[in-house]
């Protein structure tokens, strides 16, 4: 059994020049298998709305969904830091409501930290949550909860003005007490510049190699979706074909009467 890594352990990695390795996970088997590896962090991302529930965005994900999946992931692991996403609508209403939801997520799931999408506008919420004793991660660049404002999941901050705002937001988040910042789908040079400007680590997804760590969505790297062709995703398996072949072979065996055989019967 691994000893659980802490958020402050991960903050030390940066000065040690050690990369943070992170993946999303949502359920018992993915979390348990990850726990048998040295991965540093599991993010129970609100991406679960898309890759677990099959929704077209992360918008419908609720605090209850996050608590349900985070609790399973916490109970299935002993090693990685568990970070839970604060879903859309759970931190925008007021800093007080944000703290209430963050405390609920941490108390009811046992996760170690929460993550909030956004910059300047969310600083009061971040300060209050950090002040309540809950470690917070920021999330800048492509923030999928803002899909209705952005209109697409395209690269962010490629123009100077948006890049400058992102750099300012990163510094504001650090000042507000975040333990790290996720940088999603922004130019690699910008991510490198932001990473060098901060004491806290950056964790990139589609943000190049100069971040202090990397995160990817577990179902993307395992190849569940043969259509998925994001430039920033490296597929390490083709589980779509593995599962499809297994199910087709099972059907064939049942239909032909070769399953179950004598050794599979009582
Ligand atoms: O919800 C999620 O999985 C995320 C990652 C893409 C960083 O926020």
């Amino acid at each position: 059994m691994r000893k659980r890594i802490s958020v402050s352990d991960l903050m030390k990695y940066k000065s040690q020049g050690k990369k943070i390795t992170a993946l999303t996970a949502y359920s018992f088997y993915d979390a348990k298998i990850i726990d048998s590896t040295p991965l540093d962090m599991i993010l129970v991302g609100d991406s679960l709305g898309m890759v677990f529930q099959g929704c077209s965005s992360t918008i419908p994900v609720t605090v209850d969904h996050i608590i349900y999946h985070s609790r399973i992931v916490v109970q299935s692991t002993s090693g990685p830091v568990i970070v839970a996403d604060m879903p859309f609508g759970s931190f925008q209403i007021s800093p007080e409501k944000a703290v209430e939801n963050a405390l609920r997520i941490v108390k009811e799931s046992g996760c170690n930290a929460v993550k909030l999408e956004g910059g300047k506008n969310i600083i009061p919420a971040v300060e209050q949550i950090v002040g309540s004793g809950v470690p917070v991660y920021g999330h800048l660049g492509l923030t999928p909860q803002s899909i209705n404002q952005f209109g697409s999941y395209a690269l962010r901050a490629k123009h100077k003005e948006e890049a400058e705002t992102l750099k300012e937001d990163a510094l504001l988040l650090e000042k507000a007490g975040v333990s790290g910042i996720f940088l999603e789908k922004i130019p690699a040079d910008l991510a490198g510049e932001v990473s060098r400007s901060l004491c806290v680590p950056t964790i990139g997804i589609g943000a190049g190699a100069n971040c202090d760590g990397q995160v990817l969505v577990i179902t993307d790297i395992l190849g569940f979706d043969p259509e998925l062709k994001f430039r920033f995703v490296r597929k390490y398996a083709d589980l779509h074909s593995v599962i499809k072949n297994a199910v087709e072979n099972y059907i064939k065996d049942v239909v032909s009467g070769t399953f179950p055989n004598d050794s599979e019967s009582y």
Side-chain angles (χ1 to χ4, degrees):
M1 190 150 128
R2 291 168 66 191
K3 179 180 171 306
R4 203 173 288 283
I5 299 169
S6 69
V7 168
S8 48
D9 290 335
L10 292 188
M11 288 174 79
K12 290 183 206 128
Y13 279 27
K14 183 155 179 154
S15 56
Q16 296 163 351
K18 200 170 154 190
K19 293 274 189 190
I20 295 171
T21 56
L23 281 171
T24 66
Y26 317 99
S27 60
F28 172 62
Y29 279 119
D30 53 5
K32 191 173 155 67
I33 295 168
I34 287 175
D35 199 42
S36 68
T37 75
L39 191 92
D40 299 312
M41 176 195 285
I42 291 181
L43 170 67
V44 184
D46 61 356
S47 50
L48 70 86
M50 298 174 84
V51 303
F52 198 90
Q53 300 172 337
C55 301
S56 61
S57 78
T58 60
I59 305 280
V61 176
T62 66
V63 170
D64 286 339
H65 295 155
I66 292 289
I67 291 172
Y68 175 83
H69 288 276
S70 302
R71 192 190 300 134
I72 292 170
V73 169
V74 169
Q75 286 171 358
S76 313
T77 56
S78 62
V81 169
I82 312 296
V83 180
D85 247 337
M86 292 201 61
F88 185 63
S90 68
F91 57 91
Q92 291 89 346
I93 295 168
S94 69
E96 291 70 28
K97 193 78 196 150
V99 182
E100 194 179 309
N101 282 321
L103 292 177
R104 246 199 92 199
I105 292 171
V106 171
K107 276 170 79 81
E108 294 180 34
S109 74
C111 72
N112 308 111
V114 295
K115 172 167 85 59
L116 280 71
E117 292 184 9
K120 193 171 163 191
N121 293 348
I122 66 158
I123 296 299
V126 171
E127 283 172 341
Q128 292 236 18
I129 300 171
V130 173
S132 75
V134 175
V136 172
Y137 285 87
H139 183 158
L140 295 172
L142 173 60
T143 46
Q145 292 175 10
S146 304
I147 182 62
N148 289 324
Q149 275 177 334
F150 291 162
S152 84
Y153 294 106
L155 182 72
R156 303 301 311 179
K158 58 180 174 189
H159 300 300
K160 194 165 181 325
E161 200 182 325
E162 195 182 341
E164 289 304 321
T165 306
L166 190 145
K167 287 191 260 181
E168 284 162 22
D169 284 344
L171 291 172
L172 288 173
L173 285 167
E174 178 169 72
K175 198 156 162 253
V178 296
S179 303
I181 302 179
F182 287 70
L183 295 175
E184 181 164 357
K185 219 166 175 193
I186 60 169
D189 285 349
L190 174 62
E193 200 182 326
V194 171
S195 303
R196 287 189 296 277
S197 75
L198 299 173
C199 297
V200 295
T202 57
I203 302 172
I205 172 163
N210 295 324
C211 296
D212 302 304
Q214 297 291 329
V215 62
L216 283 173
V217 170
I218 185 95
T219 48
D220 292 352
I221 70 161
L222 295 181
F224 271 90
D225 183 355
E227 316 278 286
L228 183 115
K229 282 181 185 67
F230 293 139
R231 172 172 169 163
F232 62 87
V233 172
R234 188 175 292 177
K235 286 191 187 176
Y236 289 88
D238 178 9
L239 286 201
H240 178 87
S241 304
V242 171
I243 295 170
K244 194 165 156 41
N245 285 341
V247 172
E248 283 170 352
N249 283 330
Y250 169 72
I251 295 168
K252 196 153 56 88
D253 290 352
V254 171
V255 170
S256 67
T258 58
F259 175 82
N261 62 23
D262 286 349
S263 70
E264 290 157 336
S265 306
Y266 296 96

